[in-house]
Amino acid sequence: MHSIPERSNGPIKTDVLIIGAGPVGLFAVFELGLLDMKAHLVDILDKIGGQCAELYPEKPIYDIPAIPVISGQGLCDALLEQIKPFGAQFHLGEMVETVERIGNPLFRATTDRGKVFEAKVIVIGAGGGSFQPKRPPISGIEPYEGKSVFYAVRRMEEFRGKKIVIVGGGDSALDWTLNLQPIAERLTLVHRRDDFRAAPDSVNKMRALVASGAMDLKIGQVSGLEGRAGVLAAALVKGNDGTVTAAACDVMLPFFGLTMKLGPVANWGLELKDNLIPVDTAAFETSEPGIFAVGDINWYPGKLKLILSGFHETALMAQKAHRYVFPDKRLVFQYTTSSTSLQKKLGVA
């Protein structure tokens, strides 16, 4: 584990820091909240819901108990409604990079955007790891990354007045084309074929902008980059007929999809097994006391990668987490159906 520089305005203090805001991370808020533990959640994606929201928001899920069918987005929306009483705070579009034990129990975690948290318990609910953008197969792209080649848009305003090349044909590429075109000096969309996987309405709007001369569409693949010292001047686009043309640009945004990688978790001093985190089955605690792993990122004998398994794991995790957060408080097990104190927390009593 690594030491972390203190931010000038001090760390964010909470009982529990949950890494990952997918369905299992969301339900962890509920189980922790019933036991009076407050949580903050950090997720690398710019939206709540993890894989469900990012990869299959409209895909039906059939194995959530008592719900015959629900979409990925529908499940996330329902979980958000369920955890409303507990006031969890979300930090989206950032990744926890380092975790350090500074007390017993107390951890300090910092994100890639410099945000610092102090929590008595850490819950890793990061699915298969962190979503990382797929790097396009363009020779010499590395010096431009983070300077003039970006895989995500954090702040639209940073792209105002720029000559932008967007590469891709899915929803992300088309959404950002439509969002950035009004503020760009000039925008060019590059896709390998004149057929798009994005929502038809977005494609139609893009084609209308092209027809009116408000933006450019190039069919082909980016075969090279021109520029120096990490500053782009142009993207070279090789058409399907083999001809190469230059698209002038200050910025390139490739949207080639996302891939799952374990990411910084691998450097936190936890025992690992085949890029998963072994846990005990009494509380789903890792090899590091006070750090738990729930959902697809953990491993134990007989593990099934199902959302319902993750829900079960959070319930047992919360019981053990309570000991770290409230070491002097005796935990009395209660049912939501009969406990008036739990029903008051949920706002139904």
Side-chain angles (χ1 to χ4, degrees):
M1 297 192 181
H2 309 276
S3 62
I4 299 156
E6 192 77 48
R7 289 193 315 164
S8 58
N9 55 348
I12 296 167
K13 299 191 177 186
T14 182
D15 295 329
V16 181
L17 178 66
I18 300 172
I19 301 167
V24 174
L26 295 177
F27 194 64
V29 172
F30 181 83
E31 291 295 336
L32 293 162
L34 287 178
L35 303 181
D36 296 322
M37 289 175 276
K38 299 293 184 189
H40 282 246
L41 298 91
V42 175
D43 200 294
I44 193 170
L45 295 175
D46 60 4
K47 67 182 81 164
I48 296 169
Q51 293 181 58
C52 273
E54 182 70 18
L55 299 184
Y56 45 91
E58 297 179 4
K59 188 176 176 183
I61 302 171
Y62 299 101
D63 61 355
I64 304 299
I67 302 175
V69 60
I70 191 169
S71 68
Q73 188 62 56
L75 178 62
C76 296
D77 291 344
L79 284 161
L80 277 171
E81 185 64 30
Q82 188 176 32
I83 66 173
K84 257 186 189 172
F86 303 116
Q89 294 189 48
F90 293 85
H91 308 266
L92 303 175
E94 46 193 311
M95 176 171 62
V96 174
E97 283 194 326
T98 53
V99 171
E100 171 198 18
R101 182 184 290 279
I102 58 171
N104 196 19
L106 194 61
F107 297 94
R108 185 184 291 138
T110 190
T111 74
D112 57 350
R113 299 182 74 179
K115 202 172 281 180
V116 180
F117 297 87
E118 287 185 3
K120 292 181 179 176
V121 168
I122 289 181
V123 177
I124 305 169
S130 57
F131 284 98
Q132 306 283 342
K134 290 180 182 173
R135 175 185 278 164
I138 302 168
S139 177
I141 195 172
E142 291 87 350
Y144 297 98
E145 291 175 327
K147 293 181 180 177
S148 50
V149 172
F150 303 96
Y151 297 106
V153 177
R154 301 281 198 216
R155 290 183 64 248
M156 280 179 54
E157 202 54 37
E158 292 171 1
F159 298 95
R160 182 175 291 279
K162 305 276 190 183
K163 293 190 287 288
I164 302 170
V165 166
I166 291 179
V167 191
D171 283 314
S172 291
L174 270 291
D175 287 348
W176 285 117
T177 293
L178 298 176
N179 282 316
L180 292 173
Q181 183 275 331
I183 66 170
E185 179 186 328
R186 189 70 185 176
L187 189 142
T188 303
L189 176 63
V190 178
H191 188 42
R192 65 185 185 277
R193 61 180 191 273
D194 197 13
D195 182 36
F196 296 86
R197 303 182 310 280
D201 181 57
S202 299
V203 177
N204 291 339
K205 286 177 179 171
M206 177 273 293
R207 291 200 189 280
L209 288 169
V210 173
S212 69
M215 62 166 282
D216 300 305
L217 171 63
K218 285 182 178 285
I219 305 303
Q221 299 187 61
V222 177
S223 57
L225 302 173
E226 289 183 348
R228 58 193 297 273
V231 180
L232 272 179
L236 301 178
V237 181
K238 185 176 183 179
N240 296 336
D241 59 359
T243 59
V244 177
T245 58
C249 62
D250 309 304
V251 170
M252 186 172 80
L253 300 167
F255 293 107
F256 282 51
L258 299 165
T259 184
M260 294 293 285
K261 291 185 179 174
L262 191 56
V265 178
N267 304 317
W268 295 349
L270 303 174
E271 181 188 338
L272 299 175
K273 177 184 171 69
D274 300 327
N275 275 343
L276 296 171
I277 304 173
V279 291
D280 67 65
T281 51
F284 304 96
E285 197 165 11
T286 69
S287 59
E288 188 71 30
I291 300 182
F292 299 80
V294 293
D296 285 0
I297 202 163
N298 75 13
W299 178 88
Y300 52 87
K303 167 73 178 185
L304 290 177
K305 289 191 174 185
L306 295 171
I307 294 172
L308 67 90
S309 302
F311 289 166
H312 155 76
E313 293 160 13
T314 66
L316 295 187
M317 171 278 295
Q319 300 285 309
K320 181 73 177 284
H322 188 272
R323 290 193 218 166
Y324 292 113
V325 176
F326 303 114
D328 302 321
K329 203 167 166 184
R330 182 167 163 264
L331 179 59
V332 179
F333 180 72
Q334 301 176 84
Y335 294 102
T336 56
T337 49
S338 54
S339 166
T340 53
S341 66
L342 291 184
Q343 287 167 7
K344 278 178 185 169
K345 290 173 193 174
L346 295 171
V348 294

